[in-house]
Amino acid sequence: MWEAGARLARVVKPITQRRIADYAEASGDFNPIHLDDEFAAGAQFGRTIAHGMLVAASISEMMSASFGLDWRSSGRLKLRFKAPVFPGDTVTAFGEVKEVAGADVVCAVGVRRQTGEDAITGEARVTLRREP
Amino acid sequence: MYNLKDMAVDYSTLAVGQEVSNRSFTLDADTVRKYVDAVGDATARTGKTAIPKVPPMAVAALGLRGALDELGIPSGALHAGQDAAFAGPVEVGARLTCRATVSRNSVRRRSRFVGIALSVEDETGREVMTGTTTLIMPDEAA
């Protein structure tokens, strides 16, 4: 049973350059800002950064772990990318139930770097097959 | 839709509603396995040799690939936002059709924001995922 204030089990991921390269291969996103040290050195953040969708995947994993098939069947995400994640970072996906209305559960979600900085913030909604 | 591939895209000319990509692909086991391994999604792993479940975000990420290719997104573009809605599990082997249209094209504080709306359907025509990706173009492409 979900109720406002309940916290979702966190998902912790180390972000390495190897993981970023693997994600580029898997997704087909070869933007050099993720992969090329020389290019990234001259770009906004001065070094390579992780793909936003790689980091955001940890939120979906957290929601899948908490809500299972309901997440895959009815999940809705609204995310804003607030800060870059760098190779060598460890990120933590976090979530808290903000509202339960009938079968709908609304969660505040995000991903935080080990520095305490929020890399992603947003909202996730899911409709439960059985009302809580 | 006009063919954007291999053209130098003038992003200022993209019109809201313009179709930029319409592609089909099969979500094969190897593609899904690579995605699951890359993101490390423990909820998608069903056993050492078993075929993984398809994480919903994999559909979003792989569906977006066509639009990124067709638009020739410039080096240094940044992902500013992502909305997604999932309408049902997608299984390995599914044939998906992804249609991407421009949902936003604006300049704010000298940066160009391009929104791409994505609709993904399975082979039966069922919409399995919709979403919107917001990109910030690097200054030289604005």
Side-chain angles (χ1 to χ4, degrees):
Chain A
M1 178 173 297
W2 293 99
E3 57 187 30
R7 293 192 176 175
L8 309 186
R10 296 180 173 209
V11 169
V12 179
K13 298 279 177 199
I15 302 296
T16 62
Q17 190 61 54
R18 175 71 203 196
R19 173 163 278 176
I20 293 168
D22 287 348
Y23 184 82
E25 287 287 337
S27 67
D29 182 348
F30 295 99
N31 186 333
I33 203 166
H34 305 302
L35 301 166
D36 184 329
D37 288 335
E38 194 175 332
F39 176 87
Q44 184 177 350
F45 301 112
R47 54 191 289 210
T48 57
I49 61 173
H51 302 74
M53 291 291 271
L54 165 58
V55 180
S58 60
I59 294 177
S60 185
E61 180 179 348
M62 174 181 70
M63 295 300 291
S64 281
S66 295
F67 298 101
L69 183 61
D70 289 337
W71 175 245
R72 298 168 73 203
S73 300
S74 67
R76 285 148 286 168
L77 267 179
K78 198 174 193 61
L79 303 177
R80 294 297 168 260
F81 298 93
K82 311 288 282 189
V85 170
F86 299 102
D89 279 357
T90 296
V91 296
T92 301
F94 60 92
E96 180 178 333
V97 176
K98 303 305 290 183
E99 182 185 353
V100 179
D104 291 332
V105 179
V106 183
C107 303
V109 296
V111 177
R112 192 164 289 150
R113 298 176 63 216
Q114 75 284 353
T115 59
E117 182 181 34
D118 284 344
I120 301 176
T121 59
E123 183 181 274
R125 291 172 176 262
V126 60
T127 302
L128 306 179
R129 282 168 295 175
R130 291 182 195 169
E131 290 191 14
Chain B
M1 174 186 166
Y2 55 81
N3 186 11
L4 295 163
K5 196 169 176 104
D6 300 327
M7 290 170 58
V9 177
D10 177 355
Y11 298 98
S12 69
T13 66
L14 293 175
V16 171
Q18 178 180 340
E19 184 175 281
V20 294
S21 173
N22 195 336
R23 275 191 192 185
S24 296
F25 66 95
T26 300
L27 200 55
D28 60 80
D30 188 49
T31 300
V32 175
R33 200 173 288 118
K34 278 184 183 169
Y35 178 90
V36 169
D37 287 347
V39 302
D41 189 336
T43 65
R45 294 195 174 108
T46 53
K48 198 167 185 178
T49 58
I51 295 170
K53 293 179 194 169
V54 180
M57 286 293 271
V59 176
L62 297 169
L64 190 58
R65 182 191 292 190
L68 298 181
D69 285 351
E70 298 287 348
L71 281 172
I73 295 299
S75 302
L78 297 173
H79 201 153
Q82 182 67 50
D83 297 352
F86 311 115
V90 175
E91 303 300 331
V92 168
R95 180 85 181 156
L96 301 178
T97 299
C98 309
R99 180 172 183 263
T101 55
V102 176
S103 62
R104 174 187 180 184
N105 188 1
S106 61
V107 175
R108 196 175 70 191
R109 292 181 188 169
R110 296 192 301 172
S111 293
R112 180 167 298 281
F113 288 72
V114 174
I116 300 168
L118 189 67
S119 168
V120 182
E121 293 183 355
D122 68 11
E123 57 267 56
T124 69
R126 179 178 66 105
E127 194 167 61
V128 296
M129 183 254 157
T130 57
T132 304
T133 299
T134 304
L135 300 170
I136 306 176
M137 298 300 179
D139 288 346
E140 61 269 24

